[in-house]
Amino acid sequence: MAKTKPGKKDLDSYSIKGTNKVVKVGDCVLMRSSDSEKPPYVARVEKIEADHRNNVRVRVRWYYRPEESIGGRRQFHGAKELFLSDHYDVQSAHTIEGKCTVHSFKNYTKLENVGAEDYFCRFEYKAATGGFTPDRVAVYCKCEMPYNPDDLMVQCEGCKDWFHPSCMGMTIEQAKKLDHFLCSDCTSEDDAKRSVNGYPASPISEPKVESKRRKR
């Protein structure tokens, strides 16, 4: 009679070889691609287990980069943006090469400095259909595009909407020098506000030009 192999056992953590980093369930990790020309894959660890030979495997839920999705990368997608997919997989723990942090969109926009291991996610993605949740997000500017946290935008003091400098006929350098800004719609509605006397004499406390964070 053949012997039954001992079952698998769940592990609380896994130490990445060659580093002092420890991976636990719920952590986000960078996983080595078989193509050395491609960046590492990003995944969230759902389970860590070892077999009877102590081979460690991880069950992961993949994050997709915009260019890996059916619709491809679009103008409003940030450079560090990821989609949390419904694609699960089991991989050897040896393919984990590092840890990373996938922030919520709101928390990412509050970061003072974005590091190499910082990413953000605002959509869940269905790999088979290319569908997104949520399927609608707020849009801004005349171009009516969702917010890309990598792009500098200026806020109109009239309508409080946000605009890309290029959509308003300005360069980024010009936008950074602005003390006050009214969009073309607000300017035409109330020409009086264009005069210097129409502005408060004291400095505006909240920034009107932002790149990494944005008032909602």
Side-chain angles (χ1 to χ4, degrees), residues 34-110:
S34 57
D35 185 348
S36 60
E37 298 296 319
K38 291 184 177 181
Y41 297 119
V42 182
R44 189 173 73 190
V45 177
E46 302 289 318
K47 188 176 183 179
I48 307 172
E49 61 183 21
D51 62 19
H52 67 289
R53 293 181 178 176
N54 212 32
N55 294 316
V56 181
R57 298 178 72 80
V58 288
R59 175 174 168 80
V60 298
R61 185 176 180 182
W62 294 112
Y63 283 97
Y64 279 45
R65 289 182 171 84
E67 56 269 27
E68 296 166 344
S69 67
I70 292 175
R73 179 174 287 278
R74 298 182 62 187
Q75 180 183 343
F76 63 87
H77 291 142
K80 305 302 290 290
E81 184 158 7
L82 302 171
F83 309 143
L84 181 61
S85 78
D86 58 354
H87 179 188
Y88 292 82
D89 206 353
V90 176
Q91 295 284 318
S92 168
H94 293 308
T95 60
I96 298 175
E97 58 181 42
K99 294 176 68 174
C100 62
T101 302
V102 180
H103 302 270
S104 68
F105 182 67
K106 183 177 181 180
N107 288 344
Y108 181 84
T109 60
K110 292 179 180 179

Side-chain angles (χ1 to χ4, degrees), residues 29 52 66 87 90-91 97 119 164 174 202-203 214:
V29 295
H52 67 289
H87 179 188
V90 176
Q91 295 284 318
E97 58 181 42
Y119 297 88
H164 300 108
Q174 290 172 329
S202 59
R214 173 172 190 180

Side-chain angles (χ1 to χ4, degrees), residues 31-216:
M31 305 194 76
R32 188 167 51 254
S33 169
S34 57
D35 185 348
S36 60
E37 298 296 319
K38 291 184 177 181
Y41 297 119
V42 182
R44 189 173 73 190
V45 177
E46 302 289 318
K47 188 176 183 179
I48 307 172
E49 61 183 21
D51 62 19
H52 67 289
R53 293 181 178 176
N54 212 32
N55 294 316
V56 181
R57 298 178 72 80
V58 288
R59 175 174 168 80
V60 298
R61 185 176 180 182
W62 294 112
Y63 283 97
Y64 279 45
R65 289 182 171 84
E67 56 269 27
E68 296 166 344
S69 67
I70 292 175
R73 179 174 287 278
R74 298 182 62 187
Q75 180 183 343
F76 63 87
H77 291 142
K80 305 302 290 290
E81 184 158 7
L82 302 171
F83 309 143
L84 181 61
S85 78
D86 58 354
H87 179 188
Y88 292 82
D89 206 353
V90 176
Q91 295 284 318
S92 168
H94 293 308
T95 60
I96 298 175
E97 58 181 42
K99 294 176 68 174
C100 62
T101 302
V102 180
H103 302 270
S104 68
F105 182 67
K106 183 177 181 180
N107 288 344
Y108 181 84
T109 60
K110 292 179 180 179
L111 293 177
E112 291 292 337
N113 296 294
V114 177
E117 296 176 349
D118 287 311
Y119 297 88
F120 73 90
C121 177
R122 56 179 157 178
F123 297 109
E124 290 193 14
Y125 175 70
K126 293 188 179 295
T129 65
F132 290 93
T133 304
D135 60 357
R136 293 174 182 269
V137 291
V139 295
Y140 304 90
C141 191
K142 292 168 62 177
C143 62
E144 296 189 341
M145 294 292 285
Y147 178 46
N148 180 342
D150 299 332
D151 292 343
L152 180 141
M153 300 187 82
V154 292
Q155 187 183 35
C156 173
E157 295 181 8
C159 62
K160 304 302 181 184
D161 198 1
W162 291 82
F163 296 85
H164 300 108
S166 59
C167 293
M168 303 307 294
M170 292 184 290
T171 65
I172 291 176
E173 289 71 24
Q174 290 172 329
K176 288 180 177 179
K177 295 177 181 178
L178 287 175
D179 291 324
H180 310 284
F181 170 70
L182 285 175
C183 70
S184 55
D185 288 343
C186 290
T187 301
S188 60
E189 286 176 6
D190 191 354
D191 288 341
K193 289 185 179 180
R194 297 175 64 184
S195 69
V196 175
N197 294 333
Y199 293 117
S202 59
I204 303 299
S205 58
E206 71 175 39
K208 296 301 178 186
V209 181
E210 300 190 3
S211 58
K212 281 296 177 191
R213 62 181 71 81
R214 173 172 190 180
K215 302 279 190 290
R216 288 299 191 196

